[in-house]
Amino acid sequence: MFVDRAKIYVKAGDGGNGVVAFRREKYVPRGGPSGGDGGKGGDVVLMVDPNLSTLQDFKYRVHYKAQRGQNGQGSNKIGKSGEDLVIKVPPGTVVKDAGTGEILADLVEPGQTFIAARGGRGGRGNARFASAVNQAPDFAEKGEPGEERWILLELKLLADVGLIGFPNVGKSTLLSRMTAARPKIADYPFTTITPNLGVVDTGPTGRSFVVADIPGLIEGAHEGLGLGHEFLRHVERTKVLVHIIDAAGLENDPVEGFYTINKELEAFSGKLAQKPQIVAANKMDLPQARENLDRIKSHLESQGYEVVPISGATGEGVKDLIYRIIQYLDRIGDALPETVGVKKYTVKDEDEIRVERVGEVFQVKGKVVERLVAMTDLDNESAVNRLQRAFKRLGVDELLKEKGIKEGDTVRIGDAEFYYTE
């Protein structure tokens, strides 16, 4: 089964908790704090596996969670970090944020990786808070929660050549002639409901290239009509398009049909219409096709398109078409198609703290304060006092006053709620 879209939930591992511990050894009357740090949570990593060609596995598993870090121990022992969860995806996978639609990564090269969710850092043990002022701290940090998000995976096939055209013009038949691929072929619209890939091998000294048979386009495909809308994105990766037309004109005029498909390409993406195109005038085994050939050539060659007469049924002209494709590919070279690449990991507005009033509750938002609260043991008085000092240092108190907060009002930060006091 060919699956080229999937939505999955990824959750990185939480960091391990730091611990409160003190050295208790014979002849060491003042051992001091010795609580170790927690281990880092595991990341969720997407990695390109060249042996995969579909997102089918993601239909059966949607939730992915990495291992959490272990808690620290006494004697300054640091907890073990959680193992990363590596998820393999096929080449050509585009990763998007499900909430915003923002492209996070475009994975095309074998072994290429992208961290979809970062593991939380381990909490610091009480030994890390010892100072000249506080020589015996009795609190430690909790582990930072790992990131979690829904992401969209979209597959764009990596093929050198894309076969495009109306349904029933002979794309699948041509693919079977050019390659060892054996797609289902029958005489009804939308025979091909998934893209088919094949490899053209011209011999030990010749050039090989990958061909993708894209399901038939129809007028209005860019707006979601027919099946072509689902697969137009697969053409974006190709270097050369082979536009197959039914030269016999059994279902539509071949010249008008050619321009109709090109309008759909332009409407979907301006870059698609600019790709080099070879026109394959198919069904030359029929007398109507031979009668129409001169008219087709006069119209399309005057516009700069090269027309190659072929017959997918008999094999006529297929070798000549392959030769012309190789010439086009040689001119273009072996460079990878233009991609977005992997977005550098940044936390937007991490230092920005905002206060919003929702009814009677004052909601404080911001990565810094939310992380501080998540990593604080709210049952430990010393830890809470440290948190309150951090709020003042970050200016949270001033922001709350600007919003008109009063004694006893509720403040919500992350999953925690507090009562405001002067």
Side-chain angles (χ1 to χ4, degrees):
M1 181 185 298
F2 181 82
V3 178
D4 62 352
R5 276 185 177 175
K7 181 179 179 180
I8 63 173
Y9 170 82
V10 292
K11 170 71 169 70
D14 298 337
N17 298 331
V19 299
V20 176
F22 294 91
R23 289 180 62 188
R24 291 181 176 84
E25 299 178 35
K26 194 176 182 179
Y27 307 121
V28 185
R30 296 180 180 177
S34 64
D37 299 345
K40 177 185 174 298
D43 299 331
V44 178
V45 182
L46 303 182
M47 184 174 72
V48 176
D49 183 348
N51 297 315
L52 298 178
S53 59
T54 175
L55 300 174
Q56 179 180 353
D57 291 346
F58 300 105
K59 282 184 69 72
Y60 308 106
R61 183 182 174 188
V62 176
H63 294 82
Y64 295 83
K65 187 175 181 180
Q67 191 178 55
R68 68 163 290 144
Q70 292 184 359
N71 296 336
Q73 299 180 35
S75 301
N76 294 305
K77 292 180 180 178
I78 298 175
K80 181 181 178 182
S81 294
E83 292 186 7
D84 293 342
L85 175 62
V86 179
I87 304 172
K88 295 182 179 180
V89 297
T93 299
V94 177
V95 186
K96 296 182 178 180
D97 184 283
T100 64
E102 179 186 12
I103 295 179
L104 304 174
D106 199 350
L107 306 172
V108 296
E109 300 179 21
Q112 190 175 7
T113 60
F114 169 69
I115 299 177
R118 287 190 175 260
R121 65 179 177 87
R124 291 174 290 180
N126 69 328
R128 297 283 296 276
F129 296 102
S131 65
V133 177
N134 186 5
Q135 297 183 2
D138 58 352
F139 63 91
E141 284 181 331
K142 295 164 64 177
E144 180 185 16
E147 288 185 333
E148 54 186 314
R149 58 165 45 144
W150 283 91
I151 59 174
L152 296 174
L153 304 178
E154 289 187 355
L155 179 61
K156 293 183 180 181
L157 293 179
L158 289 174
D160 300 298
V161 180
L163 305 182
I164 61 172
F166 273 110
N168 267 347
V169 295
K171 296 187 299 299
S172 297
T173 302
L174 177 60
L175 181 71
S176 66
R177 278 283 179 185
M178 297 172 68
T179 74
R182 292 293 175 265
K184 288 173 57 179
I185 300 170
D187 187 19
Y188 51 85
F190 303 128
T191 300
T192 305
I193 58 174
T194 65
N196 292 301
L197 284 177
V199 179
V200 176
D201 190 352
T202 57
T205 59
R207 172 169 183 153
S208 297
F209 56 89
V210 179
V211 182
D213 164 22
I214 308 300
L217 305 174
I218 64 172
E219 189 171 5
H222 74 281
E223 297 176 342
L225 298 181
L227 298 175
H229 166 75
E230 290 294 320
F231 304 108
L232 269 169
R233 64 180 173 277
H234 293 300
V235 192
E236 291 182 297
R237 302 286 199 194
T238 59
K239 300 174 183 177
V240 177
L241 299 178
V242 175
H243 194 148
I244 303 172
I245 61 176
D246 178 2
L250 299 179
E251 296 187 14
N252 52 61
D253 182 82
V255 175
E256 291 181 4
F258 174 84
Y259 289 117
T260 298
I261 294 298
N262 272 2
K263 287 179 181 178
E264 292 304 316
L265 298 180
E266 177 72 37
F268 184 78
S269 168
K271 291 183 180 180
L272 283 185
Q274 297 173 7
K275 286 184 179 291
Q277 285 191 37
I278 303 173
V279 181
N282 195 19
K283 303 189 179 181
M284 282 296 130
D285 51 302
L286 301 178
Q288 302 97 312
R290 297 203 177 275
E291 293 172 4
N292 290 332
L293 183 59
D294 288 340
R295 181 173 67 91
I296 293 170
K297 282 190 171 184
S298 65
H299 274 87
L300 301 186
E301 289 183 348
S302 64
Q303 300 297 317
Y305 296 103
E306 183 171 3
V307 179
V308 180
I310 66 165
S311 171
T314 66
E316 175 190 347
V318 173
K319 287 186 178 179
D320 186 36
L321 177 61
I322 292 174
Y323 173 72
R324 300 300 299 142
I325 292 172
I326 291 175
Q327 286 186 320
Y328 274 71
L329 292 176
D330 285 342
R331 287 200 295 266
I332 296 171
D334 295 324
L336 283 170
E338 182 181 347
T339 61
V340 177
V342 174
K343 186 177 180 181
K344 289 186 177 180
Y345 189 88
T346 57
V347 179
K348 290 185 177 179
D349 303 326
E350 181 174 355
D351 296 328
E352 182 183 354
I353 301 173
R354 306 177 305 281
V355 176
E356 300 174 2
R357 184 166 184 172
V358 182
E360 299 299 319
V361 177
F362 291 81
Q363 180 84 46
V364 181
K365 296 183 178 180
K367 288 285 184 180
V368 172
V369 289
E370 290 175 14
R371 184 168 57 219
L372 273 172
V373 171
M375 298 180 71
T376 298
D377 180 3
L378 300 179
D379 294 326
N380 184 299
E381 184 178 352
S382 298
V384 172
N385 290 336
R386 174 177 174 268
L387 179 64
Q388 290 175 335
R389 292 194 297 271
F391 285 165
K392 290 183 179 179
R393 186 179 71 251
L394 294 170
V396 175
D397 288 3
E398 294 300 322
L399 291 173
L400 289 169
K401 289 177 182 178
E402 290 176 5
K403 291 292 182 177
I405 197 167
K406 298 178 182 178
E407 184 86 17
D409 286 344
T410 301
V411 179
R412 182 182 296 132
I413 305 176
D415 295 329
E417 289 190 352
F418 309 85
Y419 290 109
Y420 180 77
T421 58
E422 292 287 348

